[in-house]
Structures are given as structure tokens and as C-alpha cells.
Amino acid sequence: MKKNTFYLLAGCIALILLAIFWYSVEIHNPLLIEFAFVIGIACAYFARTRVTDLIDDERSAKITEQAVLRTFQVFWVGFCALSIGAVMQILYVPQFPREFLLRRSPELLSPRMMGYFQLGLLCLMIFLYVGFRMYYARKYGEWEIDEE
Amino acid sequence: MKNKIKVFRAMHDLTQEDLAQTIGVTRQTILAIEKGKYVPSLDLAFRIARHFQVTLEEVFTYED
């Protein structure tokens, strides 16, 4: 399989997954998109092994490696700080005699909202990764102009 | 790390694409090495030197 065929196939898989996502929203069945997502990614990985052109070499592997490392180095600090705060809120046990409401530290987010917030942070991680990837791609001469 | 890949390419009348295909990397990698943006692994450095039938030191020079 050629490199461009693979990219085309990956695009088709993404479109099919998007359609399945909205269909599963329509029929209120989250299991459908969950299974479809796993199967779709497995298909993409399998197709990638069949590509005969060269897609990546040691330089592109290094770019990916560095971007992943930096993303996790930055992300886990923020995510854990928020999660620790959430655990503190969940573990809050009223003391006796009850304190005045004013003395109690304010609740920033309810446990349910905290879950949504963490989910949002996970989505933001993708943007963080893309940013780092672009930075390292530039550092290792991805968009250098040929002088030949 | 400095290198003379461009010189050896010219001597062998090779384009970046030709060299990249023979070595098994992308053309962008050869370009990045030539410009000093990327330092190749020892394995890749040996493959480049072997392709030009010279020693590693003749192609790559380490500078502090």
C-alpha cells in the first residue's frame, strides 16, 4: 500500500467514526462508538504495517518521542494538582461542632463537574501534544528549505 | 557536529533523495543532518559513511 492510500484510508476511518459517534448519540448507545473506536484504530494500525513507502525514520521517531515526553511532563502536573484538589473535596467530612459556613473553604467545583473538567483537560492534552510536536519538528528541520 | 555529506554527495553526483532512499531515511532527514539541525544516530552515521566508502571521521567532525 502506498503512503497516500494509507492517509486516504485513515481519513475515511475518521469520517466513519464521526458518523457512528453521532448515530450512537441518536440511539443513546455509547457501547457502539466505544467498540467502533477500538476497531477503527486497530484497522488504522494494521493498515500502517502494510505501507510500503517510508513514512517515518529515526528523526521523525525522535520528534514524536520528545513531543510525547514534554506533553506528559507538563500535563501530569496540572492534571494531578486538580485531581488532588478533587480528592480533598470528596474526602471532606463535616466536623462537630459544625463550623460556620463562612469558615469552610469554598467549593470550587462539584465532584461531577470536576470529572467533566478533567475530561476537558484530557482533550486539551491533544493540543498540547500538537504544539510540542510542531516545536520539535521545527527544531529538527522539518520545514527547512532545500538549497539543492 | 559538523559533516561533509553535501561535499560527498556532490562528489558522487547524488541528490538528497537518492542518498535518502539508499540509506533508508526521508529526504528531510538528510537535509536536517546537512544543515546541522539533527545529529544522526551512530547507526545512521555509519551507514552514511559506508555508503561513501569512507571512515566516519571523514564525514563527521565533532566540535566542542
Side-chain angles (χ1 to χ4, degrees), chain A residues 54-60 62 138-148, chain B residues 6 9 14-16 24-29 31-32 35 37-38 40-41 44:
Chain A
L54 189 70
I55 290 183
D56 49 20
D57 54 6
E58 64 170 51
R59 188 183 55 89
S60 45
K62 184 163 180 144
R138 191 165 168 264
K139 188 180 174 185
Y140 293 121
E142 185 73 30
W143 299 296
E144 285 291 317
I145 299 159
D146 200 353
E147 286 176 353
E148 268 190 319
Chain B
K6 202 168 185 172
R9 267 196 316 108
L14 283 172
T15 62
Q16 287 175 341
V25 292
T26 57
R27 189 188 64 83
Q28 213 60 32
T29 298
L31 179 62
K35 288 202 161 192
K37 290 260 180 180
Y38 175 67
S41 69
L44 181 56

Side-chain angles (χ1 to χ4, degrees), chain A residues 145-148, chain B residues 3-14 16 19 30-31 33-35 48 52 59:
Chain A
I145 299 159
D146 200 353
E147 286 176 353
E148 268 190 319
Chain B
N3 66 79
K4 293 179 188 165
I5 296 176
K6 202 168 185 172
V7 177
F8 280 104
R9 267 196 316 108
M11 281 163 65
H12 288 78
D13 196 24
L14 283 172
Q16 287 175 341
L19 180 63
I30 298 295
L31 179 62
I33 296 169
E34 279 183 6
K35 288 202 161 192
I48 292 168
F52 293 126
V59 188

Side-chain angles (χ1 to χ4, degrees), chain A residues 7-117:
Chain A
Y7 290 140
L8 203 66
L9 188 70
C12 288
I13 290 172
L15 281 175
I16 292 166
L17 282 179
L18 191 69
I20 294 172
F21 171 77
W22 285 115
Y23 180 68
S24 58
V25 168
E26 198 79 24
I27 62 167
H28 303 287
N29 187 357
L31 269 179
L32 182 66
I33 182 61
E34 284 168 12
F35 279 115
F37 185 77
V38 172
I39 291 165
I41 297 298
C43 286
Y45 280 155
F46 179 73
R48 196 186 157 88
T49 60
R50 300 279 162 190
V51 177
T52 48
D53 299 8
L54 189 70
I55 290 183
D56 49 20
D57 54 6
E58 64 170 51
R59 188 183 55 89
S60 45
K62 184 163 180 144
I63 292 169
T64 309
E65 192 184 294
Q66 292 275 333
V68 167
L69 184 74
R70 288 282 177 263
T71 303
F72 277 106
Q73 274 179 342
V74 172
F75 180 76
W76 86 270
V77 179
F79 192 78
C80 281
L82 188 90
S83 302
I84 290 165
V87 170
M88 288 286 289
Q89 258 176 229
I90 291 164
L91 291 180
Y92 176 76
V93 180
Q95 291 171 334
F96 292 98
R98 285 185 185 278
E99 296 170 351
F100 285 109
L101 282 174
L102 286 174
R103 286 181 62 192
R104 185 180 165 184
S105 59
E107 190 178 89
L108 294 172
L109 289 170
S110 66
R112 186 189 175 89
M113 283 307 290
M114 196 66 81
Y116 286 131
F117 198 70

